[in-house]
């Protein structure tokens, strides 16, 4: 539990894809138990993303992946404001689903279930900058 708390405080983020949002896997949070891998991901929104008067940079999700079956289960989502305030986490009650090739879940699954941790990792600030830049292109 202490290792997980430290991972949440100091993410090591790997870019997994860019679509409507830029997605990053937090390799510091990966936990494996048999065929199941749990991790969290960062979803970065375009620069200037407001909801009402509040400026957001994206949000965090926790995931559970069945590495053998190739399924993904997004457990929750917690917004991330530009001032660093997170949450609250809102549960995602949808059941696990097949991680379709090329989709966000499959890209996150590949990192969470991979045997070799990625070499190029980013801090939270670096990931937000990279994600917002990628969304402009």
């Amino acid at each position: 539990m202490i290792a997980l708390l430290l991972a949440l405080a100091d993410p090591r983020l790997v870019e997994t894809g860019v679509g409507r949002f830029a997605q990053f896997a937090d390799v510091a949070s990966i936990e494996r138990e048999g065929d199941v891998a749990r991790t969290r991901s960062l979803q970065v929104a375009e620069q200037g993303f407001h909801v009402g008067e509040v400026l957001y940079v994206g949000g965090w999700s926790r995931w559970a992946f069945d590495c053998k079956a190739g399924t993904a289960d997004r457990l929750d989502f917690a917004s991330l404001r530009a001032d660093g305030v997170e949450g609250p986490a809102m549960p995602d009650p949808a059941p696990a689903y097949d991680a379709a090739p090329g989709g966000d879940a499959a890209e996150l699954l590949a990192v969470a279930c991979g045997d070799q941790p990625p070499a190029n990792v980013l801090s939270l600030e670096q990931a937000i900058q990279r994600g917002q830049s990628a969304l402009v292109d």
Side-chain angles (χ1 to χ4, degrees):
M1 182 64 150
I2 291 174
L4 180 59
L5 292 176
L6 291 173
L8 297 178
D10 191 20
R12 296 178 57 230
L13 300 160
V14 175
E15 187 174 356
T16 59
V18 178
R20 164 104 172 74
F21 299 97
Q23 299 285 341
F24 296 84
D26 181 5
V27 296
S29 70
I30 296 172
E31 294 181 335
R32 294 287 300 264
E33 187 174 319
D35 291 333
V36 176
R38 295 181 182 277
T39 191
R40 71 176 182 162
S41 67
L42 174 67
Q43 173 181 297
V44 175
E46 71 272 4
Q47 191 168 7
F49 184 84
H50 281 85
V51 176
E53 298 293 318
V54 180
L55 178 63
Y56 290 89
V57 293
W60 293 102
S61 290
R62 289 181 313 114
W63 293 82
F65 299 101
D66 184 319
C67 301
K68 187 173 181 179
T71 60
D73 188 3
R74 183 170 137 171
L75 305 172
D76 65 16
F77 178 81
S79 61
L80 177 59
R81 294 180 0 185
D83 64 5
V85 173
E86 293 182 25
M90 302 300 293
D92 185 338
Y97 58 94
D98 290 334
D104 291 338
E107 293 167 341
L108 291 167
L109 181 147
V111 173
C113 295
D115 293 329
Q116 296 292 329
N120 299 323
V121 296
L122 304 169
S123 68
L124 177 59
E125 183 177 320
Q126 290 169 325
I128 291 169
Q129 290 173 351
R130 178 174 281 173
Q132 289 179 339
S133 294
L135 292 167
V136 172
D137 295 341

